[in-house]
Amino acid sequence: NKDLMWRNKLVVVKKRTRRDLSEYISEATSIFSLPPMLNHEDLLRWSFRAWPMDKKDEIANYFWNAADIGTLQEYMETKKPYLSVAQVRSLLDEGFEIGSHSMSHPNFSRLSYEEFEQEIMAWVELLQTTFQEQINSFSYPFGVKANGQFEQRLIATQPHIKTFLGTKIRLDNHLNCLQWERDNL
């Protein structure tokens, strides 16, 4: 509860701002040299499609500050949107297993292998250090998978990662856990 995921910041901005979002979008497009929003897109779709993944947090922070909705620190202290370490530890003690979900929730289909590996392994290592538990599963943010060769390459160097979960409506290959999918909720 020290920071809010970039897309969650955008959701809060959309709900709380008193200004027209088109003002922020126009300003951000100019400041960050972003491609324009398409006619069918809203703020979230545009951010996912068009924002450079290495700038997503900076751009989301721009939107938060421009919206003049209070400080992020105040929001986090008041709302506490995420589980605490103690709450996660309690779940683990009850027999639950946790997996990784990335450091910063990028669109994995737009990452290089180095970015892919860093996003997964930095968070896996943090979880393993914090909870003294082996992390075996990874679930893609937004359910959007990376290049399948990236998964095979990572498994070759990090064999304890056993599943990479995206989202699909059906289970195509139930025998290969690298192809398992989670429900798209």
Side-chain angles (χ1 to χ4, degrees):
N1 286 310
K2 294 183 178 141
D3 199 359
L4 197 58
M5 192 260 286
W6 65 284
R7 298 237 329 163
N8 292 347
K9 286 177 186 172
L10 299 179
V11 169
V12 173
V13 165
K14 280 178 61 172
K15 288 182 178 181
R16 292 185 165 202
T17 188
R18 298 192 196 308
R19 284 177 56 194
D20 182 0
L21 281 176
S22 63
E23 292 178 44
Y24 307 142
I25 292 165
S26 177
E27 292 168 4
T29 300
S30 175
I31 292 167
F32 296 101
S33 302
L34 300 171
M37 185 183 283
L38 303 177
N39 288 337
H40 69 280
E41 289 180 317
D42 65 6
L43 180 61
L44 294 175
R45 284 190 179 111
W46 175 59
S47 68
F48 194 68
R49 175 191 61 85
W51 293 11
M53 290 294 96
D54 62 343
K55 297 281 188 199
K56 66 190 175 320
D57 295 303
E58 181 182 355
I59 301 168
N61 288 337
Y62 164 80
F63 274 86
W64 185 280
N65 294 327
D68 194 28
I69 56 175
T71 69
L72 181 60
Q73 182 180 1
E74 291 168 341
Y75 180 85
M76 298 304 290
E77 287 173 4
T78 304
K79 299 296 183 183
K80 296 191 186 318
Y82 304 123
L83 292 174
S84 69
V85 170
Q87 289 169 318
V88 173
R89 178 81 261 160
S90 177
L91 289 171
L92 290 166
D93 291 345
E94 291 292 325
F96 286 85
E97 180 180 324
I98 61 171
S100 179
H101 196 51
S102 79
M103 284 294 289
S104 70
H105 288 76
N107 177 343
F108 269 80
S109 69
R110 296 176 50 212
L111 299 182
S112 68
Y113 176 78
E114 291 71 24
E115 293 166 322
F116 166 85
E117 181 181 39
Q118 175 66 25
E119 280 288 333
I120 294 172
M121 294 314 301
W123 195 246
V124 165
E125 290 166 10
L126 179 64
L127 289 172
Q128 290 179 158
T129 300
T130 302
F131 298 108
Q132 300 299 302
E133 300 275 342
Q134 184 70 43
I135 304 299
N136 299 309
S137 302
F138 173 76
S139 182
Y140 285 101
F142 318 110
V144 178
K145 289 189 146 204
N147 178 322
Q149 294 174 353
F150 288 2
E151 294 174 357
Q152 294 298 332
R153 191 169 160 192
L154 186 65
I155 288 168
T157 61
Q158 307 293 333
H160 65 277
I161 304 278
K162 300 195 181 339
T163 57
F164 291 86
L165 303 169
T167 56
K168 279 189 184 175
I169 301 303
R170 66 183 196 282
L171 185 61
D172 291 331
N173 185 348
H174 70 279
L175 298 177
N176 182 351
C177 63
L178 294 179
Q179 294 179 355
W180 286 357
E181 305 296 339
R182 60 189 169 94
D183 287 335
N184 189 9
L185 300 175

